[in-house]
Amino acid sequence: MSTETFCTYETAWCPGCGNFMILECLKTALEQMGKEPSEVLVAAGIGQAAKTPQYINANAFCGLHGRALPAAVAAKMANEKLTVIVNTGDGDSYGEGGNHFIHNIRRNIDIAHFVHDNQIYGLTKGQASPTSVIGLVTGVQTDGNFNEPLNPALVAIACGAGFVARGFTGHKEQLISLMKQAIAYQGYALVDILQPCVSFNKTNTFAWYNARVYELDESYDRQNKAAAMQKALEFGDKIPIGVLYHEEKSTYHQKSEVLKQGVPLLDRKTDPALMKRLIASYI
Amino acid sequence: MYNLLIGGAAGQGIETTAAILEKFLKRSGYHVLTIRDFMSRVRGGHNFSLIRFGTEPIRSHSDRLDGIIALDDETVHEHRDQLNETGFILGDSKLSATDDRLIKVDMAGMAKELGNPRVSGIIAVGILLKMFGETLDGAEDVLGTFVKQQYLQINQKALEQGYAIAEKRYEHLDGKYSGWMLISGNHAVALGAVAAGLRFYSAYPMSPSTSILETLAALGDEAGVVVEQAEDEIAAINMAIGASYAGARAMTGTSGGGFSLMVEALGLSGMAEIPLVVIDVQRPGPVTGLPTRTEQSDLRFVISASQGEFPRMVIALRNQEDAFYQTMRAFHLAEAYQIPVILLSDQYLGDATATVEPFDPTRIRVADPASSYDGEDEYLRYRYSEDGISPRLIPGKTKHLVAIDSDEHDERGWITESAEVRTKMVDKRMKKIEGFRRELLEPDMIGPEDFDTLLLGWGSTWGPIAEAVRLLNQKGQGRYAALVFGDVYPLPQKLLKEKAAQAKRLINVEQNATGQLAGLIREETGIVCTDSVLKYDGRQISAEEIAARIRKEGAK
Ligand SMILES: Cc1ncc(C[n+]2csc(CCOP(=O)(O)OP(=O)(O)O)c2C)c(N)n1
Ligand code: SF4
Ligand SMILES: [Mg+2]
C-alpha cells in the first residue's frame, strides 16, 4: 500500500479480500483531499469490514455491532469540524443496524457511509446477510437462502438520501472518486461497495462482479430520482456502478437551531445567567 | 397543614388546575407537595393530583383529605371516604353525586358565559383561593406561566369570578417559602443536567421519563443543547456515547423497558471508558407493566446490566433536590472516572412537585476531559496508571489520535487478544472503583440516635420514610430511625454497619416485591433485615401506611 499520511498497519484480513482495496482507496481519497489524520474520524461497528478504523492512521471508533451510525452521527453533531466516515459491513449496516440506516438517512447528517458489501457475514464465518442472493447455501441457510435480498441503494433513495452510489473493489479509480465525492457531499452519503469475500462467498466472487459491472457514464442523469430508482434496481446480469443519485439537501446541521449557529457544540458553554433565569422560572 | 385532591377524567384539565393552584399556594408562602396519579390513557379514566400544603416542610402525601375538587362523579365516589368530617367537596352543578359536604357551583355555566368552557378549572382555583383566605396578588404572573397570552384575560376573569362567589372557610397560614422553587423530579433532573454543562441528550419517548426529554427540548435552543429523539433506545444510548467520545457532555434517559434495550451499550461506555449518564425513571414491570405508575424494581437489574464486568455507579434520587444536585454530580463522576453513571428515579418522584430551596449550581464541581497531553511518551488513550484513569483527549481537539474499541484493546486502543494485556486492562478498569468508592455518600440518617428499630430505604421513599419515623416516634412504643440510601451501588457501608449493629430490628421499606435493597445489603455486608414493608401495587407508599404496617407488627 502506498499512502503515507494514513499509514499502513498489519491487518487480520484474508489474502485476496476486497477489504484491502477499500482501505487503500480510502487512504488515497483522504490524502488527495488533503485531510489531516487528526481531523478524520473513522467509525465502525463489528465485523471484518468494521476493523477498518484499526488499520488507518486516524481517530477510530469501533463500537457495537450494528451501531456505528448512531455513534458516528452524534460525534458529528458534537464536533462539526470532524470529517466523519463510517466503514462497516453489510450485516452491520443493513441487518443489525437496519433501523439506524433508515433513520439516519432521514436525519441527513454530513457523514460518508462506506458499506463493505460482501453479501455475507464474514466474521461469523459465512451466514447469509441481508444482501445475500437467493439460493446461497450456508451453514445456516442449508437449503439455500430464500429470503428476498435487500437492495441498499434502492432503499436509500426511497428514504430520501441525497447521495447514493455503488462501487466495486475491481474499479479502483472510480472507487477513489466515489469516496471523495461522498466525503465532499454535504449530507449523508452512501457508497455501497461490492466487495468479494474470498473465504465465505463463493457465489459473488471477483469474477462474478467483474463480468456484470459497468460504469455509469456522462449520459446518465444522476439527478432524476425515478430513473435512479430504476438504475438501483438493476442488479443481475448487469450491475451499474457510479453515482446513482445526487441531490442537494439541507443537512441536520443547517436545520438544527442549536447547530446552525456555527459554533461547534462541544465548544459551547452553559450561560450562568440563563441558569439563574431557569431556576427563577420555578419560583 | 391542608390536603386537597383534584380528580377527574383524563382530558378534563386536572393537570393545569393543579399546577396553577399549587403555584399560588407556594407563592403565598406554603411548603407544597403535589403527587400525580394518572391512568395510561389520553381520555377518560380516573386521574387525580394530591396537593398537600402547610408551613412546615412536607415530605409525604397523605390519604386523609380536607377537600376534594371533583371534575366528575367518579372522583366523589372514589374518594369521599378519605374526606374529613369537616371537609368539603367542590363540584360542578352537573354532578349527580350527593353528599352533605358537596358544594355545587355552576362552573361550566359560568365558563360558557365567559366564552370558553375550558376555564371552569380556573373558576375552581378562584373559589379555593378565597376559601383558604388567599389573595389574588400576582395572579397575572402565575396565570401567565401556564396560559397563552391571548387567553390571559379570560382566565383572569374566571379566577376573579370564582373568587367573588366563594366564602372564606380556612385561615391563611404564614409560611416562609414564597421565594423557594416548586419543581418536579424530572424537571430538576433536566435543570441539573444543563447546569452540569449538558450538550447532547438523546432519548426515545417512554413514560415516565418523557418529561425530561420535553423539558430539555424546550430549553435546548437557548441553552445550546442538542436534543434528539432517537429511532429507538439502542440508538439513543449509542448516540450519547458517540457525542461524549467527541467531547459533548451527553446523557440519555428512559424507563425500564428502554433501559433493557440499552444494556449492551452500557458496557460500551464501561469498556471504552467513555463518560455517560443514563437515567432510568422506573415504572412497574416486567415489560409494559403499569406504564404511568411507580415502582422501585430496577435496582438489581441496573447494577448488573450488560455482559462482562466493568465499573459503574448507581445513584438513587431521593427527592427533588437530589434530582438536581445528584444529576450534576453524576456528570462529574462519569467524567472523572470515565464510567457510566446510572441515575434511578421513578414515576412518583419524576412527576411529583415539591418545594425546594433555589438550586445553587456552583455547589457541585464538574470535571472536564483533559485538554492536552504533554507527557514525554506517545499519547496512549488507555495508558496504564496508578488509579486506572488514563488521559482522555477529545478527537479533533488535539494532534494526537484517539482510538476506542469495544473489543479488548491495548493501551493504544487497538484490538488485542493477548492474555497479559487482557488481564492488565481489566485490572486497570476495575482499579477505578477504588477511586469512586472514596467519594461515596453515606445514606441519610433520619431520626434520633437512641433508636431500637432501624428502617432501611432508598430513592423516592425518602420522604414517606422520614415522615413515618416522625409519626412512629410520636406515639407508640419504641424508638425509630432510618437510613435512606442515595448512592446505592457500590453500596456505602460505613454508617450502615455502625447503625445496624445498634438496631434491635431492621426493616427494609421498598416499592418492590422482593426487597432488592435488602438483598444487596445482605450480599455486600451479611446484614440481614428482620422484617420488610414492601409495596408493589404501582402506588407510592405514604408515611401513614408505613407507620401503620410497622405498628401492626409482622410488617410483612
Ligand atoms: C450484538 C451482536 N450480535 C452478533 C454479533 C456477532 N457478529 C459479529 S460481526 C457479525 C456479522 C458480520 O457481518 P458484516 O457486518 O457483513 O461484516 P463482515 O464480517 O462481512 O465484513 C456478527 C453476526 C456481535 N458481535 N454482536
Ligand atoms: S472473511 Fe471474507 S471479508 Fe473477511 S477478511 Fe476474509 S475474505 Fe475478507
Ligand atoms: Mg459482510
Side-chain angles (χ1 to χ4, degrees), chain B residues 491-506:
Chain B
L491 188 75
Q493 300 185 7
K494 194 173 153 281
L495 210 53
L496 171 66
K497 284 180 175 158
E498 197 182 302
K499 300 295 173 190
Q502 179 190 333
K504 292 204 183 70
R505 276 169 84 201
L506 272 175

Side-chain angles (χ1 to χ4, degrees), chain A residues 74 77-80 258-259 263-269, chain B residues 199-200 224-226 243 247-248:
Chain A
M77 292 188 208
N79 186 358
E80 62 197 48
V258 178
L259 297 178
V263 184
L265 187 63
L266 80 170
D267 291 333
R268 297 192 57 164
K269 295 265 175 294
Chain B
R199 297 272 80 84
F200 186 88
V225 182
V226 168

Side-chain angles (χ1 to χ4, degrees), chain B residues 21 35 78 193 207 218 274 328 352 368 512 545:
Chain B
L21 181 60
I35 73 155
E78 282 278 328
S207 296
I274 298 171
M328 286 194 76
D368 284 314
N512 59 52
E545 187 176 347

Side-chain angles (χ1 to χ4, degrees), chain B residues 252-482:
Chain B
T252 180
T254 184
S255 189
F259 196 94
S260 298
L261 296 185
M262 294 183 174
V263 162
E264 188 191 17
L266 191 72
L268 175 60
S269 161
M271 180 63 144
E273 306 192 46
I274 298 171
L276 177 70
V277 177
V278 188
I279 184 163
D280 171 5
V281 187
Q282 300 162 97
R283 68 193 220 187
V287 286
T288 315
L290 293 168
T292 59
R293 302 204 173 271
T294 202
E295 198 161 273
Q296 299 182 301
S297 52
D298 293 351
L299 175 62
R300 286 291 211 168
F301 171 45
V302 304
I303 65 176
S304 58
S306 208
Q307 73 272 29
E309 299 163 303
F310 57 90
R312 77 185 80 195
M313 230 188 113
V314 181
I315 303 172
L317 306 179
R318 289 170 291 202
N319 51 49
Q320 287 74 2
E321 230 172 56
D322 248 14
F324 179 81
Y325 293 110
Q326 294 307 318
T327 299
M328 286 194 76
R329 178 167 163 260
F331 280 95
H332 170 71
L333 293 165
E335 183 63 58
Y337 295 97
Q338 303 174 20
I339 52 166
V341 178
I342 300 158
L343 295 170
L344 275 177
S345 179
D346 54 36
Q347 182 271 330
Y348 170 81
L349 174 60
D351 289 331
T353 38
T355 310
V356 295
E357 207 170 344
F359 298 142
D360 175 10
T362 61
R363 249 171 59 183
I364 308 281
R365 185 183 74 87
V366 183
D368 284 314
S371 56
S372 66
Y373 175 73
D374 40 27
E376 281 174 17
D377 314 316
E378 183 191 356
Y379 169 72
L380 299 170
R381 172 63 188 89
Y382 299 108
R383 183 179 289 283
Y384 301 127
S385 68
E386 271 300 294
D387 53 9
I389 302 168
S390 322
R392 182 173 100 92
L393 290 183
I394 299 304
K397 283 282 175 190
T398 157
K399 61 180 194 314
H400 300 290
L401 299 179
V402 186
I404 70 97
D405 198 343
S406 71
D407 286 279
E408 189 55 272
H409 42 259
D410 61 14
E411 290 181 278
R412 278 193 179 77
W414 293 355
I415 185 167
T416 181
E417 296 198 23
S418 148
E420 189 198 334
V421 175
R422 160 69 181 176
T423 308
K424 283 178 84 170
M425 272 298 159
V426 172
D427 291 343
K428 176 188 116 65
R429 289 190 291 269
M430 288 308 187
K431 225 183 279 172
K432 297 192 287 185
I433 299 176
E434 290 166 29
F436 58 82
R437 248 186 216 289
R438 282 194 290 273
E439 293 199 40
L440 287 181
L441 299 177
E442 293 292 328
D444 247 14
M445 169 72 189
I446 298 160
E449 288 295 330
D450 61 339
F451 63 89
D452 42 48
T453 302
L454 184 65
L455 313 189
L456 297 171
W458 60 283
S460 74
T461 47
W462 173 85
I465 289 175
E467 197 174 317
V469 165
R470 200 177 52 81
L471 293 177
L472 285 162
N473 285 330
Q474 256 172 14
K475 49 179 177 171
Q477 295 98 17
R479 300 281 288 160
Y480 294 82

